[in-house]
Amino acid sequence: MLEVDSLSLAYGLHRALDKVALTVGSGEIVCILGANGAGKSSLLKAIAGLLPSLPGKRVMLGDRDLSRLPAHRIVECGLALVPEGRGIFGELTVAENLLLGANPKRARDGEAARREEVLTLFPRLRERLHQTVRTMSGGEQQMVAIGRALMSRPDVLLLDEPSLGLSPAMVHELFATLQRVREAGLGLLLVEQNASESLRIADRGYVLENGVIIDHDTANNLKRKPAVQRAYLGG
Amino acid sequence: MTNAILTGLMLGGMYALIAMGLTLQYGVARIMNLSYGEVLIAAAFGAQGLFTGWALSPFAGLAFVIPVAFLLNLAIYRVLLSPLVRRARTRDALEVDSILATFGLAFILQGIMLSMFGGAYYSYSYLASPVHLFGETIAANRLAALAVCILLGGSLYLALTQTRGGTAIRAVAVDPAAAQLVAIDVARTAAFTFALGGALVASAGVLISTFLTFSATSGVVFTMKALIVVVMGGVGNMLGCLVAGLLLGVSEALVASLIDPGLTLAVNFALFLVVLLVKPAGLFGRASR
């Protein structure tokens, strides 16, 4: 469903991403493994239109070409990003964040039902609808961020380090939730430091090193590769 | 005493309304608009012209002045300010650039008004009949102005807090980068909000013209007061505008009636200083990260 091809990105002379290509199908969880500074966050931001990439890239979502659209139009096409550091509106309440999540026109139909689904997915948010987000715990803020992204009725959801700063129990809960989101037919592209958890739920994975994709395989195969075990699974 | 408090509440409501527009322009569009008071005076001249020329009541004149002010401010933003927005690398840089640009704009607007109307003071008499309230008499135009002020300020507040569009405007003030992620066109929202702030201060100008004398050069006083109220209430905070505006208005009126009218500006700044000493981020502001 999501097809990225020839995506390159440079910070000054430093080439952060070099001709990256990847795909995410519907109902599929795809993870990107890579060390700090490998370009994982830049990749997600470039797909979402938040970073200007070098000419020649091709980003297709279904039959829509996102390559030249600004970030706010890309959301309208059905691609939502949950950025690292969450990118939620800390001064606003949970309810207001969810209201804004449904700001894209594509999300207006069935908004109430979707809100209900999100609150069922994250029951804790229902209790705190009128709390200011900045006063909530890291895990709860992550729920707001994912819930807000889901409110935009995305076809593909990009998640940048969703487990960052969460307790192991919360991480577990979060990944179980992501499984349920996938069952609804969404494609998930996941960037994670926590490689063992993400390979556990992922169908496929890409290994990104110094801005280049050096390996691509099913999650089960990746788990067994010695290079992957050494670099990302602490084995 | 009662009269002083009534006058103070009315003045304070005006200050709050003026400050709301400035805090919108500054909080969302990141334009520190030093030509703000000139827009107010221009609207006052507009209302005066409509009243003396076409015998149009200032309150009916609002229906004309508000959309015109909105469009003119939109044009100012698009022509004069959006090049600054495009070249600014950070929001702080935009703030400095906008101060310089709008400072110049203030002189241009003032010059145009001086050439059209000269330096004389203008006023007109509309609804000047006395009304008895709480054992005091107060001019009907002041009460009417206060009522319209509450109506405008209240509906703006509700629109900003209760609708999706208003929440989107606040979201841009909180985090413009994240706003893009929920399909908000930040550049368009900033332009719209700047124009909205301009329309708001123009409506305040119309209301003020019904009971105060004004001249082509009195804009700067209103810019100063709006700045004081915005900073005192906490930048970007609507409730802060209301409280700080009322505080300023009531204290001014009390000092003028109980001690000496010459001391109002001194009281303004004394109050401002005290608030900043006790709460540097303003009454409702949070210390910046």
Side-chain angles (χ1 to χ4, degrees):
Chain A
M1 181 169 19
L2 174 69
E3 278 179 51
V4 178
D5 198 16
S6 306
L7 196 159
S8 303
L9 182 97
Y11 295 110
L13 288 176
H14 170 65
R15 192 162 264 234
L17 292 173
D18 197 12
K19 300 207 181 81
V20 170
L22 57 84
T23 60
V24 181
S26 57
E28 192 182 32
I29 300 186
V30 176
C31 72
I32 297 171
L33 303 178
N36 265 332
K40 305 187 300 285
S41 294
S42 302
L43 173 59
L44 292 197
K45 281 189 184 157
I47 296 174
L50 288 179
L51 280 179
S53 49
L54 296 174
K57 79 162 168 185
R58 213 173 100 86
V59 180
M60 298 291 291
L61 184 64
D63 51 6
R64 300 192 70 168
D65 188 355
L66 311 184
S67 312
R68 274 176 204 80
L69 296 182
H72 63 92
R73 298 266 311 275
I74 287 180
V75 190
E76 287 284 5
C77 296
L79 184 137
L81 167 68
V82 179
E84 193 186 359
R86 304 186 182 110
I88 40 180
F89 303 111
E91 303 296 311
L92 307 185
T93 65
V94 174
E96 286 170 336
N97 269 278
L98 294 182
L99 177 77
L100 286 175
N103 186 51
K105 282 177 199 70
R106 64 181 275 116
R108 300 294 170 82
D109 276 348
E111 179 184 348
R114 205 163 305 109
R115 189 170 184 271
E116 209 36 52
E117 282 168 27
V118 166
L119 293 179
T120 313
L121 216 50
F122 302 110
R124 218 167 313 194
L125 296 187
R126 194 190 297 274
E127 300 157 24
R128 309 195 167 206
L129 272 178
H130 299 289
Q131 189 168 343
T132 307
V133 169
R134 122 185 100 72
T135 64
M136 298 166 70
S137 76
E140 289 162 348
Q141 293 194 13
Q142 192 59 262
M143 294 175 192
V144 175
I146 296 174
R148 192 189 70 185
L150 288 176
M151 286 301 293
S152 71
R153 194 164 74 81
D155 296 325
V156 172
L157 189 60
L158 313 185
L159 296 136
D160 195 353
E161 303 273 3
S163 74
L164 199 70
L166 302 191
S167 68
M170 286 292 296
V171 174
H172 220 75
E173 195 183 320
L174 177 75
F175 278 76
T177 308
L178 293 183
Q179 292 265 37
R180 261 176 288 160
V181 169
R182 170 250 295 271
E183 279 153 25
L186 271 75
L188 266 66
L189 182 60
L190 184 66
V191 157
E192 261 299 336
Q193 293 279 335
N194 193 334
S196 58
E197 280 282 354
S198 47
L199 280 177
R200 211 169 47 75
I201 64 164
D203 303 299
R204 289 185 298 120
Y206 293 86
V207 181
L208 188 67
E209 234 176 69
N210 295 321
V212 183
I213 292 202
I214 57 160
D215 200 358
H216 164 222
D217 214 330
T218 64
N220 280 329
N221 286 346
L222 280 177
K223 262 187 271 188
R224 286 195 286 271
K225 288 190 179 172
V228 171
Q229 290 185 343
R230 247 195 329 276
Y232 307 111
L233 298 171
Chain B
M1 184 75 180
T2 319
N3 203 339
I5 289 177
L6 278 178
T7 309
L9 285 177
M10 202 251 342
L11 261 183
M14 266 338 135
Y15 291 159
L17 187 68
I18 297 172
M20 272 169 113
L22 189 69
T23 209
L24 272 181
Q25 290 189 339
Y26 180 60
V28 178
R30 280 288 139 173
I31 303 291
M32 178 40 85
N33 186 0
L34 292 188
S35 64
Y36 196 66
E38 270 65 33
V39 176
L40 183 146
I41 296 301
F45 276 117
Q48 199 253 354
L50 288 176
F51 182 73
T52 52
W54 296 350
L56 193 62
S57 130
F59 299 112
L62 279 176
F64 179 73
V65 170
I66 288 179
V68 169
F70 183 90
L71 291 177
L72 284 180
N73 274 278
L74 198 61
I76 287 175
Y77 186 86
R78 292 248 187 260
V79 175
L80 183 77
L81 299 171
S82 59
L84 301 182
V85 175
R86 273 197 296 274
R87 74 167 203 186
R89 289 178 176 274
T90 65
R91 300 185 102 196
D92 291 343
L94 175 59
E95 226 174 288
V96 174
D97 286 353
S98 71
I99 287 175
L100 294 173
T102 56
F103 193 45
L105 180 64
F107 284 110
I108 295 175
L109 292 177
Q110 204 183 89
I112 293 174
M113 289 191 287
L114 272 174
S115 70
M116 286 172 74
F117 305 104
Y121 277 87
Y122 282 74
S123 68
Y124 56 97
S125 179
Y126 173 74
L127 267 190
S129 52
V131 173
H132 298 280
L133 197 69
F134 305 123
E136 299 279 346
T137 49
I138 190 162
N141 53 23
R142 297 194 165 211
L143 277 182
L146 179 62
V148 177
C149 169
I150 291 171
L151 189 74
L152 285 175
S155 34
L156 178 72
Y157 182 79
L158 285 179
L160 283 175
T161 52
Q162 304 299 321
T163 69
R164 195 194 314 267
T167 312
I169 286 177
R170 287 188 296 141
V172 173
V174 172
D175 189 342
Q180 303 174 68
L181 293 176
V182 292
I184 295 172
D185 186 339
V186 174
R188 264 190 64 187
T189 308
F192 173 83
T193 311
F194 184 86
L196 185 67
L200 204 65
V201 74
S203 66
V206 171
L207 297 181
I208 283 172
S209 74
T210 60
F211 61 89
L212 274 189
T213 56
F214 55 92
S215 78
T217 53
S218 38
V220 63
V221 180
F222 292 101
T223 308
M224 293 288 293
K225 294 222 163 129
L227 270 175
I228 292 178
V229 172
V230 166
V231 176
M232 212 159 97
V235 172
N237 193 306
M238 292 290 151
L239 203 62
C241 279
L242 182 66
V243 174
L246 289 179
L247 207 63
L248 209 64
V250 172
S251 62
E252 262 184 31
L254 282 180
V255 167
S257 81
L258 298 179
I259 305 171
D260 189 294
L263 281 178
T264 52
L265 264 185
V267 166
N268 267 341
F269 284 101
L271 201 63
F272 187 41
L273 267 178
V274 170
V275 168
L276 286 193
L277 283 175
V278 180
K279 292 210 70 178
L283 292 172
F284 290 84
R286 285 195 320 114
S288 56
R289 290 129 292 189

